[in-house]
């Protein structure tokens, strides 16, 4: 029986504790996290998670899952399903501009077996769905679409395409262009970067399966994300016009461009698939408005330079679960403003710090000034030889600090 056949598609739900809009990685994990607390959760989504077969090609959309995110997925029961499908563990992270300034970070430096996993987004989502569909506290409405909602003293009345329901808490996990955020009248600050990023799935002649690396060039970074077998995801940051040109090339032509630009540590590469997306930064002016809460990309999008986007979203999920659990345990109203504001307070500063940090790195390595280049290479050189600094940076990047 396929996953679509397991979806509860009820025509009418009179009341639910929490309604989540969006059943991607963040929405699905939020549903499981709140269901663990005994809350009745309804989640709506337009499209069901895609089924998986071992013979399928790797998807272009992948994430570097940190140790903290892995721990959350284990807690939610989804990690075992991911391991049954496919992922690629990495133990080391290499960063450089010039070879003399090469800095490498190793899991051994923080007494861990690995730094993270590279996993296809759809694999993570599917494993979370498999858990949701067997949880008695979760109702999945799919396909379903939000039409609108009204907040009242006794909660929120929500109109869906196929039904209406009342909820105590409305959660936006519907992505960067969040409909819920717009309906709530929550503004955003942000900008578009001058560059776009190209994702390229390749087969590599040389296996480098325990390391992910990033090389900085004046035109933009080049990144390597290992995948199972001799496969990899390459990320190429460039000016928008150049990414448009590269996207129009045939796979053979693109292989030639990769050979000229990427380090020869890959060996010969064969392009399997490619795609591109613009780089943007968005930050919601508030995460909570009434009984509406924003999580993940609905609240913040970040420069993907260090692969922290989805990990920040998972940290949102863990924080919301903890705040609500403490409220329930102390007899408080879990959907009160006082409680929900604790979630925003716990996450906003951390998200802003990570966003600003990525922007600082992006700006520093985009600066063509020779003195600035000298300073940043000295910084990498020093970081490689400063154990305390390296371990602190690694723990923070892994979500362990």
């Amino acid at each position: 029986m396929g996953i679509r056949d397991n979806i509860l598609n009820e025509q009418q739900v009179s009341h639910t504790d929490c309604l989540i809009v969006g059943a991607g990685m963040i929405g699905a994990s939020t549903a499981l996290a709140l269901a663990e607390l005994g809350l009745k959760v309804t989640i709506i989504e337009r499209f069901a998670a895609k089924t998986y077969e071992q013979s399928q090609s790797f998807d272009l959309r992948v994430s570097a899952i940190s140790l903290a995110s892995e721990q959350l997925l284990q807690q939610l029961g989804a990690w075992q399903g991911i391991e049954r499908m496919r992922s690629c563990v990495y133990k080391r992270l290499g960063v450089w501009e010039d070879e003399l300034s090469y800095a490498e970070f190793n899991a051994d430096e923080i007494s861990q077996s690995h730094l993270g996993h590279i996993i296809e987004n759809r694999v993570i989502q599917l494993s979370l769905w498999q858990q949701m569909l067997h949880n008695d506290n979760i109702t999945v409405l799919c396909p379903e679409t939000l039409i609108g909602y009204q907040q009242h003293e006794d909660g929120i009345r929500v109109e869906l395409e196929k039904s209406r329901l009342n909820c105590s808490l409305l959660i936006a996990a519907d992505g960067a262009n969040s409909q819920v955020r717009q309906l709530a009248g929550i503004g955003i600050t942000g900008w578009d970067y001058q560059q776009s990023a190209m994702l390229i799935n390749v087969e590599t002649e040389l296996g480098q399966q325990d390391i992910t690396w990033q090389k900085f060039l004046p035109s933009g970074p080049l990144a390597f994300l290992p995948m199972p077998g001799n496969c990899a995801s390459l990320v190429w940051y460039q000016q928008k016009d150049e990414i448009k040109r590269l996207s129009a090339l045939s796979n053979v032509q693109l292989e030639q461009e990769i050979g000229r630009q990427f380090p020869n540590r890959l060996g010969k590469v064969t392009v399997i698939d490619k795609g591109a997306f613009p780089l943007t930064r968005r930050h919601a002016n508030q995460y909570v408005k009434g009984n509406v809460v924003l999580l993940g990309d609905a609240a913040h999008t970040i420069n993907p330079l260090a692969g922290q986007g989805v990990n920040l979203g998972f940290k949102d999920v863990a924080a919301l679960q903890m705040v609500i659990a403490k409220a329930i345990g102390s007899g408080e109203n879990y959907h009160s403003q006082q409680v929900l504001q604790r979630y925003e307070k716990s996450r906003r500063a951390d998200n802003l710090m990570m966003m600003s940090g990525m922007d600082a790195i992006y700006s520093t390595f985009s600066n063509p000034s020779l003195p600035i280049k000298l300073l940043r290479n000295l910084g990498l050189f020093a970081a490689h030889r400063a154990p305390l600094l390296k371990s602190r940076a690694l723990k923070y990047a892994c979500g362990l600090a």
Side-chain angles (χ1 to χ4, degrees):
M1 180 179 290
I3 190 169
R4 291 176 182 270
D5 299 319
N6 287 326
I7 294 174
L8 301 177
N9 197 358
E10 299 178 1
Q11 293 299 309
Q12 185 70 35
V13 178
S14 59
H15 179 82
T16 185
D17 294 325
C18 305
L19 173 66
I20 301 172
V21 181
M25 295 183 289
I26 302 306
S29 57
T30 303
L32 290 166
L34 297 183
E36 281 188 347
L37 304 181
L39 298 176
K40 295 296 183 181
V41 179
T42 299
I43 187 166
I44 70 168
E45 175 58 61
R46 295 181 182 180
F47 306 102
K50 296 179 180 178
T51 56
Y52 169 80
E53 293 180 6
Q54 192 71 34
S55 59
Q56 289 173 331
S57 299
F58 292 107
D59 199 71
L60 280 171
R61 296 174 62 83
V62 301
S63 294
I65 297 301
S66 69
L67 290 174
S69 296
E70 178 183 334
Q71 290 169 1
L72 176 66
L73 291 167
Q74 288 175 339
Q75 173 200 320
L76 300 178
W79 190 253
Q80 186 176 0
I82 292 170
E83 290 185 315
R84 283 197 301 266
M85 288 181 273
R86 59 191 181 196
S87 64
C88 184
V89 67
Y90 63 94
K91 182 177 180 179
R92 297 177 293 142
L93 166 63
V95 183
W96 76 98
E97 182 172 17
D98 295 327
E99 291 293 341
L100 291 177
S101 64
Y102 180 83
E104 185 171 296
F105 302 83
N106 195 303
D108 292 339
E109 295 164 345
I110 55 172
S111 302
Q112 298 290 333
S113 62
H114 58 279
L115 296 179
H117 288 76
I118 307 298
I119 311 173
E120 296 157 87
N121 290 1
R122 67 185 178 93
V123 167
I124 301 172
Q125 182 191 18
L126 178 57
S127 188
L128 289 164
W129 272 60
Q130 290 169 343
Q131 294 300 308
M132 285 199 307
L133 295 172
H134 292 92
N135 191 307
D136 292 338
N137 283 343
I138 300 175
T139 299
V140 179
L141 301 182
C142 180
E144 185 57 282
T145 304
L146 174 69
I147 302 300
Y149 73 89
Q150 291 182 326
Q151 294 208 49
H152 300 274
E153 290 185 3
D154 58 345
I156 301 179
R157 298 174 188 173
V158 182
E159 182 179 357
L160 305 176
E161 186 177 46
K162 300 177 182 178
S163 61
R164 296 177 181 177
L165 56 87
N166 299 322
C167 63
S168 299
L169 191 60
L170 177 61
I171 297 175
D174 51 345
N177 299 313
S178 172
Q179 180 190 9
V180 177
R181 187 187 65 220
Q182 295 173 30
L183 289 172
I186 298 176
I188 58 173
T189 57
W191 54 80
D192 294 339
Y193 297 96
Q194 296 303 307
Q195 291 187 323
S196 292
M198 188 173 190
L199 304 176
I200 313 168
N201 280 358
V202 299
E203 290 183 358
T204 61
E205 178 184 6
L206 303 177
Q208 304 203 20
Q209 304 309 319
D210 76 335
I211 186 170
T212 177
W213 51 253
Q214 195 159 75
K215 179 180 181 180
F216 289 91
L217 298 175
S219 56
L222 305 172
F224 167 88
L225 308 177
M227 298 294 287
N230 276 40
C231 294
S233 173
L234 305 183
V235 189
W236 194 340
Y237 299 83
Q238 256 287 2
Q239 299 300 312
K240 294 179 180 179
D241 288 344
E242 178 62 7
I243 290 295
K244 185 176 180 180
R245 183 189 74 83
L246 292 170
S247 298
L249 297 178
S250 68
N251 286 356
V252 173
Q253 291 171 323
L254 185 57
E255 289 165 11
Q256 295 170 349
E257 293 279 357
I258 291 170
R260 285 192 284 266
Q261 296 294 330
F262 276 76
N264 58 13
R265 61 179 62 193
L266 294 177
K268 185 181 183 302
V269 302
T270 302
V271 172
I272 306 301
D273 197 7
K274 59 184 184 289
F277 61 93
L279 303 182
T280 62
R281 166 175 166 155
R282 300 285 186 270
H283 200 192
N285 295 338
Q286 56 194 104
Y287 293 179
V288 174
K289 189 170 183 179
N291 290 73
V292 175
V293 178
L294 310 184
L295 288 91
D297 284 355
H300 45 77
T301 60
I302 185 174
N303 191 311
L305 195 63
Q308 287 297 320
V310 72
N311 293 308
L312 291 182
F314 283 132
K315 290 175 81 171
D316 291 349
V317 175
L320 183 64
Q321 184 192 43
M322 181 175 293
V323 164
I324 290 180
K326 287 183 177 179
I328 293 173
S330 61
E332 292 182 272
N333 184 343
Y334 70 89
H335 51 83
S336 70
Q337 283 297 291
Q338 183 178 6
V339 170
L340 298 179
Q341 287 298 332
R342 293 173 197 156
Y343 156 72
E344 176 162 354
K345 184 178 180 180
S346 71
R347 292 302 305 137
R348 188 171 184 83
D350 182 56
N351 287 334
L352 185 59
M353 182 167 67
M354 181 64 79
M355 295 168 77
S356 300
M358 291 305 100
D359 285 343
I361 294 173
Y362 177 83
S363 299
T364 299
F365 281 93
S366 299
N367 194 316
S369 167
L370 188 59
I372 296 297
K373 178 178 180 179
L374 178 62
L375 285 173
R376 65 190 180 226
N377 279 278
L378 284 173
L380 286 175
F381 182 85
H384 185 57
R385 291 155 181 81
L388 183 59
L389 178 62
K390 287 178 71 177
S391 64
R392 286 181 176 177
L394 263 184
K395 286 181 179 179
Y396 181 68
C398 292
L400 302 179

